[in-house]
Amino acid sequence: LSRQIALVPQAEHIPFDFTVLEYVLLGRSPYLGMLEMPGPADYRVAQEALALLGLPDFAARPVTALSGGERQMAALARALAQEARILLLDEPTSHLDLSNKGRLLQTLRVLAGRGTTIVFTTHDPEMAVLAAQYVVLMRAGEIVDLGPIETVMTADRLTATYGTPVQVVRVDERPVVLLDPAGLGSAGG
C-alpha cells in the first residue's frame, strides 16, 4: 500500500536527528527488505526529490534544525521519494513562504502531468484555485459543495464555507478570492 499512497502530514514530530537526506530516504522504505539499507538507486531517487524541491544544499543538515517551511518541503521530498501514484497532502502550504508555495505548486503540476493523483486539504482558497481541478468545500465536517473549481469557487459558496464575507474576482481568467472589506464591519474601539 505504501508503494501506492504517500502522505505528507500538516506537522510531524521527528524524534531522531536525521539529516535531510536520511529523512528523505525513509520514503524508500516500501522498496527495501527487512533491515536492508538503501542502495545507489534509492539515493538517486532521494536526491532527485531534493533537487525538484530546491533542497539539494540541505541534504547534510539535520531535519530538526530546519524552519517549519523547510521541514514541510523535506516531508514533501520524502513523499516524492516514495514514487507513489497517489499523494495525500494535509495543508501542504503550512509554514511556506511565497517562493516555496510557488515551488510546491509547480511540483504538483509536474506530478499531475505525470499521472499522479493528488488529494490535498487546505484552508487557503488561493492554493485550491491554483492547484486543483476539482474541489470539495467543507464546514464543520459537512460538505457545503463540490465540483469543478469554476462552479464551486463563488463568493456565495465561499462565504458560506468560511463564515465570513468574501469576493471572487477574475484576474487573467482565473478566480481570485478576497476578503470582502465591506462585509467585515469596523474594527472600532
Side-chain angles (χ1 to χ4, degrees):
L1 184 61
S2 59
R3 288 185 183 188
Q4 298 299 315
I5 302 172
L7 170 68
V8 176
Q10 181 177 1
E12 179 178 45
H13 173 70
I14 302 167
F16 302 107
D17 211 16
F18 292 116
T19 66
V20 171
L21 180 58
E22 290 168 336
Y23 177 69
V24 172
L25 280 166
L26 292 174
R28 301 302 299 159
S29 296
Y31 302 94
L32 302 175
M34 185 71 78
L35 301 178
E36 184 179 357
M37 297 299 292
D42 299 308
Y43 277 88
R44 179 186 49 75
V45 170
Q47 289 166 339
E48 286 173 1
L50 287 171
L52 183 63
L53 294 170
L55 299 174
D57 295 339
F58 287 56
R61 289 181 59 186
V63 174
T64 54
L66 299 179
S67 70
E70 292 164 345
R71 209 180 266 209
Q72 189 73 1
M73 295 298 279
L76 182 59
R78 186 198 63 219
L80 296 182
Q82 257 179 270
E83 297 182 312
R85 294 181 44 77
I86 301 169
L87 188 56
L88 303 176
L89 308 171
D90 184 11
E91 294 288 344
T93 58
S94 64
H95 309 293
L96 296 185
D97 61 19
L98 283 177
S99 174
N100 281 327
K101 281 184 182 183
R103 184 172 281 124
L104 171 68
L105 177 62
Q106 181 60 33
T107 301
L108 295 180
R109 287 179 176 165
V110 167
L111 293 171
R114 293 179 186 166
T116 302
T117 299
I118 302 166
V119 178
F120 67 91
T121 63
T122 185
H123 286 90
D124 181 356
E126 286 304 308
M127 184 64 183
V129 167
L130 291 170
Q133 296 173 345
Y134 191 87
V135 67
V136 177
L137 295 178
M138 297 185 73
R139 179 172 174 90
E142 300 291 325
I143 294 176
V144 174
D145 201 359
L146 55 97
I149 285 285
E150 292 299 321
T151 60
V152 174
M153 299 297 271
T154 66
D156 290 342
R157 291 175 178 152
L158 290 171
T159 295
T161 300
Y162 287 102
T164 193
V166 300
Q167 296 177 355
V168 177
V169 298
R170 299 197 77 70
V171 176
D172 293 332
E173 300 303 316
R174 74 171 181 88
V176 175
V177 181
L178 306 168
L179 283 172
D180 184 353
L184 294 176
S186 66

